[in-house]
Amino acid sequence: MKTSYFLSCWGNQLNLGTAVEVAADRGYDGVEGPPPEEGDLRSRVAENLATRGLPYIGEIVTGGDYVPKPGMTVDEHLEDFERILTGRFEGFSPKFINVLGGSDRWSVEESVSFFARAIELAATQGHSLVFETHRGRSMFNPWVTLEILTALPEMRLNCDFSHWVVVAERLVMDSEPEILGLCAKACGHMHARVGYYQ
């Protein structure tokens, strides 16, 4: 396995068009982020990606923003998901799409329903998905994620365990390595960051 390094738009205040330029100049293997909303800009960015031969990882955020609006239902999140999936990726050919979806307010059953339906919708469009372990989302902690993965073993993850450290206030995988083992089997992508103890 070869590790590839993608420049993410998140945390850099970059839009995808700028990220393509920066990634090419700095030697990244590709870029990751949401596709532009505007038609002309979207076409130009897609063309620039193709011209430079940079692989692209897409992003879909449901529920309004990185922390979803409270009270939104599974169906409302799925409507967001489908609208972005069918409306913004034309001309892009993402390797896969990273999804920040679901809500920490939902039951495990609601979350499983959302993820299963999102996977099915993406398959009809020819896209593969990974779902990010993220605060405010369905997989905001390791124990709920374990239940969801047990119900949906075909599900792929974007493992960003920094969120679990914040939520749980400890390194859960030190005391429960079976959770890490299951996540490792489901891992399709990873967000790594340089941080500090807290």
Side-chain angles (χ1 to χ4, degrees), residues 100-174:
L100 287 87
S103 173
D104 58 2
R105 296 170 57 116
W106 294 351
S107 68
V108 170
E109 293 75 21
E110 288 172 308
S111 294
V112 167
S113 171
F114 169 78
F115 293 126
R117 290 162 65 191
I119 291 167
E120 195 174 294
L121 275 169
T124 66
Q125 301 286 319
H127 293 295
S128 299
L129 306 176
V130 295
F131 296 94
E132 188 168 344
T133 59
H134 199 283
R135 295 190 305 278
R137 298 299 178 164
S138 291
M139 292 184 291
F140 69 102
N141 80 42
W143 305 282
V144 171
T145 302
L146 180 62
E147 289 186 64
I148 293 169
L149 283 176
T150 301
L152 292 170
E154 73 279 12
M155 185 175 181
R156 306 292 291 155
L157 295 182
N158 172 11
C159 297
D160 188 339
F161 298 137
S162 66
H163 292 278
W164 289 356
V165 173
V166 172
V167 169
E169 286 283 339
R170 61 194 179 281
L171 298 173
V172 174
M173 273 76 86
D174 286 355

Side-chain angles (χ1 to χ4, degrees), residues 15-18 35-48 92:
N15 64 43
L16 190 60
T18 306
E37 292 184 37
E38 301 86 20
D40 287 345
L41 177 59
R42 192 168 57 237
S43 299
R44 286 195 308 272
V45 173
E47 186 177 312
N48 197 12
F92 277 84

Side-chain angles (χ1 to χ4, degrees), residues 55-127:
Y56 168 61
I57 297 170
E59 178 184 278
I60 293 177
V61 175
T62 67
D65 206 347
Y66 286 97
V67 176
K69 295 175 190 167
M72 287 185 72
T73 66
V74 170
D75 286 339
E76 289 170 320
H77 276 258
L78 280 166
E79 286 169 16
D80 267 2
F81 175 81
E82 187 170 18
R83 176 180 48 77
I84 298 166
L85 180 73
T86 59
R88 292 203 200 145
F89 287 97
E90 187 178 334
F92 277 84
S93 305
K95 290 172 66 70
F96 55 85
I97 299 169
N98 179 43
V99 180
L100 287 87
S103 173
D104 58 2
R105 296 170 57 116
W106 294 351
S107 68
V108 170
E109 293 75 21
E110 288 172 308
S111 294
V112 167
S113 171
F114 169 78
F115 293 126
R117 290 162 65 191
I119 291 167
E120 195 174 294
L121 275 169
T124 66
Q125 301 286 319
H127 293 295

Side-chain angles (χ1 to χ4, degrees), residues 18-29:
T18 306
V20 171
E21 302 297 328
V22 171
D25 291 344
R26 295 188 185 166
Y28 282 90
D29 297 307

